[in-house]
Every structure is written in structure tokens, then in C-alpha cells.
Amino acid sequence: VLEEEAHWIRTVLDELPDDAFPLLNLGSGARAVRERNEPYADRLIFQPLAARGVRVIHADIKAAEGVDVVLDFTSATDRATLAGRVGPVRTIACSNVLEHLSISPADAAAHLLDMCPGSCFVIVTVPKRFGYHPDPVDNGFRPTADELATLFSGSVVLRKADVRGPILAVVQASYQGWLRYLVRVLMPFYKPHVWWGQVTWFWRRAEVACVLVRKDEPGADS
Ligand SMILES: C[S@@+](CC[C@H](N)C(=O)[O-])C[C@H]1O[C@@H](n2cnc3c(N)ncnc32)[C@H](O)[C@@H]1O
């Protein structure tokens, strides 16, 4: 997550009512990512939620320290058993995950809505301008916020934004350090696809498509 994106998520979370929790942070990654590699994620998103006293459940397909629930949300069994494992979820935040799936973005969006019983909020972010970065796959999905919002056309799109971050060279250097990044730039023949992903548009600003949608319970007034 980029710092500017974390600011956007924070703003959106601040607007949600207290009954919009627990929040499932889907594709959370390990605690070290949000607290050490990207400390602004913890400062802007998770510490304010802790101060508010609401419950956050970190879920990921990979077990790691700081992952509360290991689940693959593309698996029907994992989706069906989630409520039994963690109780009802009222908001799902899913940042920078849809580009790493081998199912279609439309199916992924439908699964996200599936995972909360009744009405709920879904916050989704996907890189819009960002190089190839497999984890373990990169399916090339790089939507605008408008395109991302169309995946949720059956729900109410409350907010959408194309959020700009720093230039991509700065983003890459923040992950690996300037020295390693500059050495990497000089090695195009080592994993050329990954190399290309790290240098593509390096002078342009990273962008992330962000949406907040509300799923209403069938038959409920909205
Ligand atoms: C690029 S990281 C994003 C981490 C964090 N959400 C952020 O924005 O910085 C993508 C994460 O999604 C997880 N992931 C990928 N496929 C998943 C799936 N099917 N179900 C749950 N998590 C998944 C990966 O293990 C990884 O931790």
C-alpha cells in the first residue's frame, strides 16, 4: 500500500459508522509488512482503528506472524466457512490483491461481496500505474477507479478515486533501497520480466484505483 493510498483508506474508514465493523483486512500480508516495511499503513489505518476500539481481522492465503486467519477467498469452501471461524464481518478491505489472482477481477469482486452476510462495505484498491510485480502471479489488471467501480455495478459505489503516489523509481527504492535499485537497473538480463516491471514508467507517478462500495441486504431500504 502506498502512503497516499493509506490516507485515502483512512479517510473512508473514518466515515464508516461503528456498526460497520469488524473489518476483514483481506490479503493483509505479515505484520512486518504493515508495521515495519510500510509503517504509515499501521499509523494511518490500523492504529486509529485500534484507538476506536473496533475489531480488525487480518486474513491472508499465506500463514505469517500477524495473520489471524489463513484463507483463500477464491475458494468457495473458505468463503463459506469464514463466518464460522471469525464471526460476521461488516467491512472488507482488500488492497493490492486483485492483480495477483488467477481468477477474473469480476469473479473476485463477486466473491468479496459474497463474503459478508447481509449488508456490508467493501474497500478495494488495485494499482493503476505500476510495473509487473508477481506475488506469485501478476495478471496485468490495472484498472482506473471507474473501471474498478463497474465490477460492483450491483452495489452502491460511495466513493472512487485514482490516487497518485510518488514517482515509481522512489516507490521501488523504498522497497529495496536506492543502491540495490540502481544496481538492479543495470541488470536487465536477470529475470527480464521482473526487471522491466521495476523500471517501467520509473519517472512517472504511481497510481492506485480505489473504491468504496456498499452492498445492501436484498429487500432493505437504502
Ligand atoms: C501485494 S500484497 C498486498 C498486501 C497489503 N494488502 C497491501 O496493500 O500492502 C498481496 C497479498 O494478497 C495475498 N493473497 C493473494 N491471493 C490471495 C487469496 N486468494 N486469498 C487471500 N489472500 C491472497 C498475498 O499472499 C499477499 O499477502
Side-chain angles (χ1 to χ4, degrees):
V1 71
L2 300 176
E3 186 162 354
E4 294 77 0
E5 176 189 358
H7 271 288
W8 187 89
I9 294 172
R10 160 80 180 273
T11 306
V12 156
L13 288 170
D14 281 351
E15 290 171 1
L16 296 185
D18 282 344
D19 66 3
F21 296 89
L23 174 138
L24 183 75
N25 179 26
L26 183 60
S28 62
R31 185 192 311 280
V33 175
R34 51 185 187 268
E35 293 188 4
R36 198 181 57 221
N37 304 12
E38 299 171 349
Y40 48 82
D42 193 46
R43 178 170 46 82
L44 291 168
I45 303 173
F46 300 110
Q47 287 181 15
L49 292 176
R52 195 170 162 182
V54 296
R55 182 168 171 231
V56 176
I57 303 145
H58 299 287
D60 202 281
I61 196 169
K62 290 180 273 195
E65 208 277 314
V67 171
D68 305 313
V69 183
V70 177
L71 71 85
D72 172 3
F73 86 103
T74 69
S75 148
T77 311
D78 284 8
R79 290 196 303 278
T81 54
L82 177 68
R85 295 170 72 191
V86 302
V89 161
R90 300 298 319 282
T91 297
I92 297 177
C94 183
S95 61
N96 304 298
V97 177
L98 266 54
E99 78 274 22
H100 296 298
L101 303 177
S102 37
I103 61 170
S104 73
D107 284 347
H111 294 335
L112 290 176
L113 295 172
D114 251 17
M115 286 170 69
C116 29
S119 56
C120 71
F121 297 93
V122 179
I123 299 165
V124 183
T125 73
V126 180
K128 173 188 170 197
R129 184 185 297 125
F130 210 93
Y132 173 78
H133 59 292
D135 184 16
V137 298
D138 181 341
N139 59 29
F141 185 46
R142 297 290 186 276
T144 63
D146 284 339
E147 289 163 347
L148 189 57
T150 61
L151 300 182
F152 298 92
S153 52
S155 304
V156 184
V157 178
L158 297 173
R159 284 193 177 273
K160 57 184 172 180
D162 292 310
V163 174
R164 296 182 120 195
I167 66 166
L168 282 157
V170 170
V171 175
Q172 290 296 339
S174 73
Y175 295 148
Q176 37 188 313
W178 275 107
L179 183 61
R180 282 184 63 187
Y181 179 57
L182 293 174
V183 169
R184 182 68 178 108
V185 168
L186 299 173
M187 298 173 60
F189 302 111
Y190 175 69
K191 298 187 179 174
H193 218 53
V194 175
W195 174 84
W196 180 242
Q198 294 179 352
V199 301
T200 321
W201 303 310
F202 71 87
W203 66 96
R204 298 190 67 185
R205 289 175 67 181
E207 266 190 87
V208 186
C210 306
V211 300
L212 165 68
V213 304
R214 190 186 68 219
K215 177 185 115 178
D216 292 321
E217 209 165 355
D221 285 340
S222 55

